[in-house]
Amino acid sequence: MRRLLAAMAASAVLLCGCSPAPKKYSAVYTDVFDTATEFAAYCDSREEFDLYAEALHDELLRLHKIFDIYDEYDGLFNAASLNKTKSGGCPSELIELTKSAVDWYDLSGGKLNIALGSVLSLWHDSRESGIPPAMEDLKPLAEHCDIDDISVEGDIISIKDPQLSLDFGALAKGYAAEKAAELLESVGCADFVLSVGGNVVARGEKPGGSWEIGISSPDGGILTTVKVSDEAVVTSGDYQRYFEYEGVRYHHIIDPQTLMPANLWRSVTVICKSSADADALSTALFCLDEQSGRILAENFGAEALWVSSKGEVIRTEGFEDYEK
Ligand code: ADP
Ligand code: MG
């Protein structure tokens, strides 16, 4: 890939003796992480863009399969295999994200818990049926969500509790976007923006300056726009994956303490260098009060914007700098 790109660049220079002004190209994929992925980059030609786009798509598909908790794939021990067998040799990315997720459990005071799989699975079924789960059904499942039952030794992950299952939904897209961005950079793509279901990674610039990323208002439309060049922008919200029952909205981010959808915020947006951190932070902050969220964000050099359940908009001071 790298050699092919270098050859293409060399032949462009030989043919015209100069490089053309880069143009914007874009692509959309709907077959990874159960969401829409958008990729836009400034490139010298469609051929160059297509090579980047293909490499990106292959990488996202590879990572999607590793973190998939619903399906298994031939020749791959993935998250679904681990949930089924409770122990096995895992790909390095599954090891890395599991270790990081265990750290996030502590960092978030237990709010971000990948061991919550059985509780989340009941909520997932409820979204499909449109009827919220009964507390008497949730409570017994909550007995099987102990993060200490997960152990990682070398490339083996083991789950001690046979009824515990893992769910990487809170972190996988941000982690995958980070890995995919690293791959794009390594093959020479310098100026691009990638959104894996709203987990945005921006690198370099567009002609005329930074990339502009619109942040949705939970009630529709654009709340604000931020200008970023080498940052990630990630939002967790109650307005995309939810159902309504008897006039109440039930969304997909569950507070492990109440076993119900977290209800402090409508959305939390995080800007920071690493998209993996931004994804974990946005979910954690969504479950935390403002003060705890501010402390956690600051520890990661991250900026945040909260929309409260009453519609009030709160920002860290540094967030405003991105809005100018
Ligand atoms: P999105 O997936 O919409 O971008 P998030 O990154 O905030 O949003 O992750 C939400 C997903 O994380 C849920 O769909 C579920 O799979 C998982 N999840 C929900 N609540 C928790 C929690 N408290 N701890 C860990 N994972 C969670
Ligand atoms: Mg997240």
Side-chain angles (χ1 to χ4, degrees), residues 125-132 243-245:
D125 296 346
S126 297
R127 272 205 305 287
E128 312 235 299
S129 69
I131 302 169
F243 65 95
E244 272 172 2
Y245 182 76

Side-chain angles (χ1 to χ4, degrees), residues 31-50:
D31 57 352
V32 285
F33 294 101
D34 304 319
T35 186
T37 290
E38 295 166 60
F39 170 51
Y42 279 84
C43 297
D44 292 334
S45 67
R46 158 67 58 187
E47 289 73 20
E48 183 191 349
F49 176 79
D50 286 347

Side-chain angles (χ1 to χ4, degrees), residues 111-113 116 120 167 169-170 173 236 252-254 256 279 283:
K111 293 288 188 187
L112 197 162
N113 182 5
L116 210 60
L120 295 175
D167 181 314
K173 290 197 293 283
S236 285
H252 70 318
I253 303 173
I254 304 302
D279 193 5
T283 310

Side-chain angles (χ1 to χ4, degrees), residues 5 14 16 110 157 174 195 199 233:
L5 289 175
L14 283 177
C16 65
I157 302 178
S195 166
N199 287 248
V233 185

